[in-house]
Amino acid sequence: MEITNLDFQQARIKLVLFKSRLRSVLYGVREPDETLFSLRQNPLGEWLYAIVKPRYGGVSAVLFLENELSRMLDTARSLVQQHQNGKLEEARLGLERIDMHAAQIESLLKQVEESALLQP
């Protein structure tokens, strides 16, 4: 199965959706869902394990992508914990860290996409 530009666009949408859901939790609009922080159950993680790793698992950017996603999810879990402990402003300010992880993930997605499109 070939990975297309559309697959990578969907991954980028999943990243934006994650950030939106996390923001909703930190602003009290929704309750945290454990799957939001699960590497394998998070929509971007599901995509990574179902679509990318089976075909391009040997590409170093894929490993870096997996690690960065894991770090972002750990950071998000930490922010939600802060929020639940009453440190609302600190948790919300921590969204900047999520944005930094997301920027790194975006860069890695681009590297994986370039690698995937170069392979026959």
Side-chain angles (χ1 to χ4, degrees):
M1 177 178 122
E2 293 297 318
I3 297 179
T4 66
N5 288 340
L6 180 60
D7 291 309
F8 286 96
Q9 286 301 328
Q10 289 175 342
R12 290 175 178 95
I13 291 167
K14 291 174 190 305
L15 182 58
V16 170
L17 181 61
F18 169 79
K19 290 173 30 176
S20 176
R21 286 181 177 165
L22 178 61
R23 187 175 307 280
S24 293
V25 170
L26 296 180
Y27 281 88
V29 176
R30 71 182 324 156
E31 290 296 315
D33 177 3
E34 190 56 35
T35 61
L36 186 64
F37 313 109
S38 170
L39 187 57
R40 292 198 178 262
Q41 294 177 324
N42 174 284
L44 187 56
E46 285 180 339
W47 175 83
L48 179 66
Y49 286 104
I51 305 294
V52 178
K53 284 196 78 159
R55 180 141 169 97
Y56 302 103
V59 175
S60 62
V62 172
L63 177 60
F64 294 136
L65 176 61
E66 181 179 23
N67 289 337
E68 190 64 30
L69 177 57
S70 179
R71 285 192 291 274
M72 182 178 74
L73 297 176
D74 289 344
T75 300
R77 183 187 310 274
S78 173
L79 295 178
V80 169
Q81 188 64 46
Q82 281 182 324
H83 182 269
Q84 290 172 334
N85 290 336
K87 298 178 181 177
L88 306 181
E89 194 59 31
E90 288 176 24
R92 292 172 186 161
L93 289 173
L95 286 168
E96 290 178 14
R97 295 187 350 239
I98 296 297
D99 288 337
M100 291 182 346
H101 287 296
Q104 184 64 28
I105 288 170
E106 175 63 38
S107 174
L108 291 165
L109 281 171
K110 187 172 184 155
Q111 290 175 36
V112 173
E113 182 175 21
E114 289 169 357
S115 294
L117 295 177
L118 290 176
Q119 290 186 4

